[in-house]
């Protein structure tokens, strides 16, 4: 298989390859490739959310250049479950790949909605596979293995290949009292191990947690206790919209404590709709309209809403700031964060919580009460799974480098013969004689900027970062036919830190531009324009210590 013409790989049919394009060395944006006999299959096609280093951007997408160049050898995309970091890039990138997508019913429902929004239902073929079902793509046979997670139909993938069996865990945890779905049993996992597993490619997110993640049933008891003790005031619970098991839990708690439910947030409405259409949440209580909720006795109301990560446009942020059109919170109300604080979101979450505190609203998080459990395996769960599956090779994924290294060490410590920590772009031979790093391929990030997909490290984002940090200036110079100034240079500044002395600053910049014109040669336009730009920016640097992005326009009359 010729992965790269400049590298000596084995001939076709002699190897089984693993190549992560996303999700190894980071939490989010999961994209994994398996290669055999000249063909590839993709597992998951996710995205991640942008941080402040990507100004004006919400979504980060994986760079699929490697497989796009080999799209005729790609057989299909198999999806483990419906979280955004596993399906979020589908509406933006799948059509260009031109291959079918395979998913179980609930996940397929979420994907179908995304494709409909983008008008891609004809361009992208979606195959629905029943829970526990299987399909064959070339030399790969995929079987779904149900796993407990924080969304319906979390699945691992058992992948049969000519070189051995792979267990791709997807996102998972152990839950002896799941509130939704029936995950695979220890006996089934032992049977998988008995059949022989070449490699387990697995979730590393919670490898540092010394305790098991815990059951959703425990969260139900914790939420019931907290909400039952609230005799007055509204209770608002914020959680991940995709956590349909938590929605089920909250619906049952509302019925037990005698509160009626109002659901807020477009993504939560979508999850509820898909869940009901695919047979879940059938006993969820009736949902109040905003008008009904506003008129209801506050002590009888339970609001479930999005915005647990402090997203500025989400429902909770607008409610906390008092800008939500329909719902208000006031002193004596309570907000429960039934969610994990994702690293990097601390500041945005703190802003919302401080806004709530200013309104006299009590905030309860997992630090104060048992109102959340993770959907990922802690150390004891990882140890149990390795004991059942007994793979020859451990390949940790879905984690930052520190998570992957700790996961690999754990696997080796409990008896897995071999382990390798991948980085996005690594071409790893799993068989024969694996694991072995045999090459590196191009990977990277793309940004969804408005409706345009751009390189994350391209000129657009570079310019925007410079403007964000240093501000922007322009100088317009008008010359007459002899190349002399026909008017005083016009200066415009945005985001440059001169406020009280702005008039004096602009005047000095204008004079610097005029002096550059007098000293320059307009017959060499490029050099002439650059001398004006440097002169204006030098004044800005002397005044502010900043080097604003500076443009020059030359007008001849």
């Amino acid at each position: 298989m010729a992965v790269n013409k400049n590298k000596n790989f084995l001939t076709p049919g002699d190897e089984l390859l693993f190549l992560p394009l996303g999700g190894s060395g980071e939490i989010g944006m999961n994209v994994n490739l398996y290669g055999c006999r000249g063909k590839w299959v993709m597992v998951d096609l996710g995205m991640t959310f942008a941080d402040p280093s990507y100004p004006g951007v919400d979504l980060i997408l994986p760079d699929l250049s490697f497989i796009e160049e080999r799209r005729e050898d790609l057989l299909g995309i198999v999806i483990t479950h419906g979280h955004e970091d596993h399906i979020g890039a589908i509406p933006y990138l799948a059509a260009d790949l031109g291959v079918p997508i395979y998913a179980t019913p609930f996940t397929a429902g979420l994907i179908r909605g995304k494709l409909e929004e983008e008008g891609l239902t004809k361009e992208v073929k979606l195959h629905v596979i029943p829970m526990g079902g299987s399909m064959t793509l070339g030399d790969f046979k995929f079987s779904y293995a149900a796993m407990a997670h924080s969304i319906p139909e979390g699945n691992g993938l058992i992948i049969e290949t000519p070189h051995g069996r792979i267990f791709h865990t997807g996102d998972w945890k152990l839950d002896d009292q799941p509130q939704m779905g029936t995950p695979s049993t220890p006996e089934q996992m032992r049977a998988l191990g008995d059949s022989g597993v070449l490699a387990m490619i697995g979730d590393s997110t919670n490898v540092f947690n010394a305790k098991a993640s815990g059951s959703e049933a425990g969260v139900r008891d914790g939420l019931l206790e907290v909400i039952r003790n609230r005799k007055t005031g509204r209770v608002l619970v914020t959680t991940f919209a995709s956590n349909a098991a938590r929605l089920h839990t909250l619906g049952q708690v509302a019925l037990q404590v005698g509160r009626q439910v109002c659901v807020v947030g477009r993504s939560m409405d979508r999850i509820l709709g898909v869940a009901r259409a695919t047979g879940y949440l059938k006993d969820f209580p009736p949902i109040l309209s905003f008008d009904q909720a506003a008129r209801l006795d506050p002590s009888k109301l339970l609001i479930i809403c999005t915005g647990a990560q402090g997203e500025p446009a989400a429902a909770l942020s607008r409610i906390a700031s008092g800008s939500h059109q329909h719902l208000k919170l006031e002193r004596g109300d309570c907000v429960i964060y039934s969610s994990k604080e994702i690293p990097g979101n601390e500041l945005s979450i703190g802003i919302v919580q401080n806004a709530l505190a200013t309104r006299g609203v009590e905030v309860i998080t997992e630090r104060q009460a048992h109102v959340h459990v993770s959907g990922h395996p802690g150390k004891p769960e990882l140890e149990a799974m390795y004991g059942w599956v007994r793979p020859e090779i451990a390949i940790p994924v879905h984690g930052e480098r520190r998570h992957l290294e700790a996961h690999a060490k754990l696997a080796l410590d409990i008896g897995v013969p071999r382990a390798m920590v991948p980085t996005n772009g690594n071409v790893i031979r799993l068989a024969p004689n694996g694991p072995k790093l045999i090459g590196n391929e191009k990977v990277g990030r793309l940004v969804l900027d408005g409706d345009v997909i751009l390189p994350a490290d391209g000129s657009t984002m570079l310019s925007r970062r410079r403007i964000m940090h240093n501000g922007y200036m322009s100088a317009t110079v008008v010359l007459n036919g002899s190349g002399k100034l026909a008017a005083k240079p016009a200066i415009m500044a945005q985001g440059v830190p001169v406020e009280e002395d702005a008039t004096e600053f602009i005047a000095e910049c204008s004079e610097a531009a005029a002096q550059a014109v007098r000293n320059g040669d307009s017959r060499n336009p490029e050099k002439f324009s650059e001398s004006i730009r440097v002169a204006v920016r030098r004044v800005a640097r002397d005044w502010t210590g900043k080097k604003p992005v500076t443009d020059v326009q030359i007008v001849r009359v």
Side-chain angles (χ1 to χ4, degrees), residues 228-242:
R228 179 177 279 159
N229 289 336
R230 307 294 303 192
K231 304 300 183 184
T232 61
R234 304 168 186 83
V235 173
L236 182 151
V237 181
T238 183
T239 190
F240 299 107
S242 61

Side-chain angles (χ1 to χ4, degrees), residues 81-94:
H81 67 285
H83 276 142
E84 289 297 309
D85 60 331
H86 295 259
I87 68 169
I90 287 175
Y92 309 108
L93 302 179

Side-chain angles (χ1 to χ4, degrees), residues 104-389:
T104 54
F106 176 80
T107 305
L110 295 178
I111 294 171
R112 187 177 297 110
K114 291 177 176 293
L115 295 176
E116 288 173 352
E117 286 182 1
E118 298 297 323
L120 294 173
T121 52
K122 292 182 179 179
E123 287 82 353
V124 179
K125 193 168 185 179
L126 179 61
H127 295 283
V128 181
I129 308 299
M131 287 294 290
S134 61
M135 67 281 188
T136 299
L137 302 177
D139 288 308
F140 297 90
K141 180 183 178 182
F142 289 83
S143 298
Y144 278 101
M147 308 293 286
H149 191 40
S150 56
I151 192 171
E153 300 181 8
N155 285 286
L157 296 171
I158 301 167
I159 311 173
E160 309 280 351
T161 82
H163 296 278
R165 186 175 294 107
I166 298 166
F167 181 43
H168 186 106
T169 71
D171 293 1
W172 66 280
K173 60 181 282 188
L174 297 180
D175 191 338
D176 55 4
Q177 291 182 284
Q179 300 299 290
M180 187 173 290
T182 305
S184 299
T185 64
E187 291 73 24
Q188 289 170 314
M189 291 293 100
R190 288 193 192 97
L192 172 61
D194 291 342
S195 67
V197 174
L198 171 66
M200 185 167 114
I201 284 76
D203 184 352
S204 307
T205 311
N206 282 350
V207 66
F208 293 114
N209 290 7
K211 296 181 180 179
S213 293
S215 173
E216 185 68 24
V219 175
R220 177 173 174 168
D221 293 340
L223 286 166
L224 179 61
E225 179 181 1
V226 171
I227 297 173
R228 179 177 279 159
N229 289 336
R230 307 294 303 192
K231 304 300 183 184
T232 61
R234 304 168 186 83
V235 173
L236 182 151
V237 181
T238 183
T239 190
F240 299 107
S242 61
N243 196 340
R246 191 64 45 80
L247 297 181
H248 171 78
T249 292
L250 289 167
Q252 297 305 301
V253 168
L255 292 172
Q256 286 183 259
V257 301
R259 286 181 180 256
Q260 297 185 61
V261 173
C262 178
V263 175
V264 191
R266 182 185 172 196
S267 57
M268 201 161 278
D269 289 335
R270 183 171 63 250
I271 291 290
L272 278 166
V274 174
R276 285 170 162 166
T278 50
Y280 302 99
L281 298 177
K282 292 295 188 182
D283 56 352
F284 196 80
I287 298 173
L288 298 179
S289 69
F290 289 148
D291 287 342
Q292 290 171 322
R295 293 194 300 267
L296 190 67
D297 178 348
S299 67
K300 301 297 182 184
L301 179 62
L302 174 64
I303 302 168
I304 307 173
C305 83
T306 58
Q309 299 306 307
E311 306 94 317
L316 181 57
S317 294
R318 290 181 286 124
I319 292 172
S321 66
S323 61
H324 195 279
Q325 186 175 359
H326 303 286
L327 294 175
K328 307 293 181 186
L329 293 180
E330 55 192 25
R331 185 170 299 278
D333 294 340
C334 174
V335 170
I336 301 171
Y337 278 76
S338 186
S339 58
K340 178 182 180 180
E341 186 177 89
I342 295 176
N345 293 340
E346 296 88 351
L347 179 60
S348 56
I349 292 172
I351 290 171
V352 175
Q353 291 182 351
N354 283 324
L356 292 168
T358 300
R359 293 180 174 276
V361 175
E362 181 180 359
V363 175
I364 296 174
T365 72
E366 60 178 339
R367 297 185 184 91
Q368 289 82 45
H370 186 48
V371 294
H372 178 66
V373 289
S374 173
H376 300 272
K379 186 177 178 181
E381 293 155 288
L382 287 168
E383 292 172 341
M385 186 62 75
Y386 277 114
W388 299 330
V389 175

